[in-house]
Amino acid sequence: MDTKTLCLGVISLGAASGYEIKKAFEEDGLNHIYHTSYGSIYPALTALTKEGLAVCSAMAQEKRPDKKVYTITEAGRSALLTALSAPPAEDKFRSDFLFTMFFAHLLPPNHVAKLLDERIAWYEGNLAKMESNRDCNAFVHGMGLAVYRSAADYLKAHRQEFLDQLSGANQLVAE
Amino acid sequence: MDTKTLCLGVISLGAASGYEIKKAFEEDGLNHIYHTSYGSIYPALTALTKEGLAVCSAMAQEKRPDKKVYTITEAGRSALLTALSAPPAEDKFRSDFLFTMFFAHLLPPNHVAKLLDERIAWYEGNLAKMESNRDCNAFVHGMGLAVYRSAADYLKAHRQEFLDQLSGANQLVAE
DNA sequence: TTTCGCATGTAAACAGTTACATGATTAC
DNA sequence: GTAATCATGTAACTGTTTACATGCGAAA
């Protein structure tokens, strides 16, 4: 899924500026699905406009730079439908945290404990945020909640056991 | 976490060839953490060797191309430790599937049903594979299992409800 | 006989992030 | 006064994927 399709999806829900699209990927229930940056959004919007999949109207604002609002066209809706109809690519997940945990036996247990606690706090914080602002797509929103909940619960349930095991192994080495 | 560090991590568990490192990211419990391709692994191994973080010994094989086995050096272990000690970058997740589900209201319900069923089958298949080959890191392995399990369970539990809701909305449009 | 697994590597194409460039307003 | 929010955009850098290049052995 390229950034053009991502932008097309967001503006299919309502006209938006590049800035607002970025926000959608941070707050509006798209945050746990995809990430993007201005550096990919703005060029994508320009390309979309050139291809006739969106139209841009500059909104003059007092005391602010003009806000460029992009509206999806019929051709854009049809392009979005085509993109969504293609078999979805495999999920791409990459976690420095889990990779680090995989090699936790190389690290001081108190450092590992800190990482675990930070991660648990991160999940809890995210869950609170997600629970507060209910999303336009309850199914996807619910899936995000379920997965984050299970991750947080798992970490909390196995934290101590894991740390004990690491210390145990370290003691054996020290002996 | 760059590919060099990923390779360093894998060979810290035992000398390996590029081919075997790739396999580790497909099968050996690293599959749900990170992905890589030969195109990034082989250059990374060359760089690691140049930097003295790994040494390469060519193993002549009968009727096969030479197998280049990479062994981590002391400098390599120390570099790995440094990399693992840095604060981990945020997880990067991108899901075409969830993005598509977010816009499921634009698609024919039977197509959505197919995607859901395929995804459930994918999770179940992966879970079976992961349950069969127990991993060297039980904590990380267990977390993968827990998260996949909750995702599969969520999809199974909400599949029908979601589809009913989509058909309902479509009927309203048709009326 | 065709596909899968073993085995390494390069180069071009593609995509994405980060840093840079600019600057006012508002809330703490 | 300092940080955050609003607001757009480019360019360089970094990284990844894909296609190409090669080729045998074993199993289905």
Side-chain angles (χ1 to χ4, degrees):
Chain A
M1 222 47 109
D2 58 13
T3 309
K4 269 164 37 177
T5 308
L6 300 179
C7 292
L8 222 39
V10 174
I11 62 171
S12 82
L13 304 170
S17 66
Y19 189 82
E20 287 162 350
I21 290 170
K22 174 87 192 299
K23 270 205 307 186
F25 283 101
E26 279 165 358
E27 294 162 18
D28 300 340
L30 247 35
N31 59 338
H32 57 95
I33 298 179
Y34 252 102
H35 297 103
T36 37
S37 55
Y38 291 131
S40 47
I41 291 171
Y42 285 120
L45 288 171
T46 306
L48 248 23
T49 306
K50 267 187 199 150
E51 292 165 29
L53 306 179
V55 286
C56 170
S57 56
M59 296 251 181
Q61 288 189 126
E62 285 165 37
K63 302 171 187 171
R64 287 215 184 286
D66 284 4
K67 191 175 175 176
K68 288 187 172 181
V69 175
Y70 293 85
T71 307
I72 196 166
T73 62
E74 272 316 304
R77 284 192 192 277
S78 143
L80 176 60
L81 197 56
T82 303
L84 292 174
S85 301
E90 280 229 338
D91 290 357
K92 274 159 211 151
F93 179 64
R94 21 186 57 204
S95 175
D96 269 27
F97 168 73
L98 284 177
F99 188 78
T100 304
M101 286 305 116
F102 199 87
F103 295 99
H105 58 278
L106 301 174
L107 298 168
N110 66 314
H111 182 234
V112 177
K114 202 183 124 221
L115 291 175
L116 287 169
D117 292 338
E118 281 170 0
R119 180 57 49 135
I120 290 166
W122 182 86
Y123 276 123
E124 297 290 4
N126 251 83
L127 281 162
K129 223 196 293 173
M130 287 168 77
E131 267 155 20
S132 70
N133 67 301
R134 54 156 65 238
D135 203 60
C136 53
N137 186 314
F139 179 74
V140 173
H141 188 237
M143 177 135 172
L145 282 174
V147 169
Y148 277 15
R149 182 81 271 158
S150 80
D153 288 349
Y154 180 87
L155 290 181
K156 283 195 281 187
H158 296 272
R159 187 203 111 108
Q160 199 52 52
E161 178 196 358
F162 184 47
L163 290 172
D164 287 347
Q165 187 200 305
L166 288 175
S167 318
N170 280 0
Q171 270 184 347
L172 286 176
V173 169
E175 273 164 19
Chain B
M1 221 50 105
D2 58 14
T3 309
K4 269 164 38 178
T5 308
L6 300 179
C7 291
L8 222 39
V10 174
I11 63 171
S12 83
L13 304 170
S17 65
Y19 189 84
E20 287 162 351
I21 291 171
K22 176 86 193 300
K23 272 205 308 185
F25 283 101
E26 279 164 357
E27 296 162 18
D28 300 340
L30 248 35
N31 60 338
H32 56 96
I33 298 180
Y34 253 102
H35 297 104
T36 38
S37 56
Y38 291 130
S40 48
I41 290 171
Y42 285 121
L45 287 171
T46 305
L48 248 23
T49 305
K50 266 188 200 151
E51 292 166 28
L53 306 179
V55 286
C56 170
S57 56
M59 296 250 181
Q61 289 189 125
E62 286 165 36
K63 302 170 187 172
R64 285 213 186 288
D66 284 4
K67 189 175 175 175
K68 287 187 172 182
V69 175
Y70 293 85
T71 307
I72 196 166
T73 63
E74 272 316 303
R77 283 192 193 277
S78 142
L80 176 60
L81 197 57
T82 303
L84 292 174
S85 301
E90 280 228 339
D91 291 355
K92 274 159 210 151
F93 180 64
R94 20 187 57 202
S95 175
D96 269 27
F97 168 73
L98 285 176
F99 187 78
T100 304
M101 286 305 116
F102 198 87
F103 296 98
H105 57 277
L106 302 174
L107 298 168
N110 67 315
H111 183 234
V112 176
K114 202 183 123 219
L115 291 174
L116 288 169
D117 293 337
E118 281 170 1
R119 181 56 48 133
I120 290 166
W122 182 87
Y123 277 122
E124 298 290 4
N126 250 84
L127 281 162
K129 222 196 295 173
M130 287 169 77
E131 266 155 18
S132 70
N133 67 299
R134 53 157 62 240
D135 202 62
C136 53
N137 185 314
F139 179 74
V140 174
H141 188 236
M143 177 137 173
L145 282 174
V147 169
Y148 278 14
R149 182 82 270 159
S150 79
D153 287 348
Y154 180 87
L155 291 181
K156 283 194 282 187
H158 296 271
R159 188 202 110 108
Q160 200 52 52
E161 179 196 357
F162 184 48
L163 291 172
D164 287 347
Q165 187 199 305
L166 289 175
S167 317
N170 280 1
Q171 271 184 346
L172 286 177
V173 170
E175 274 164 19

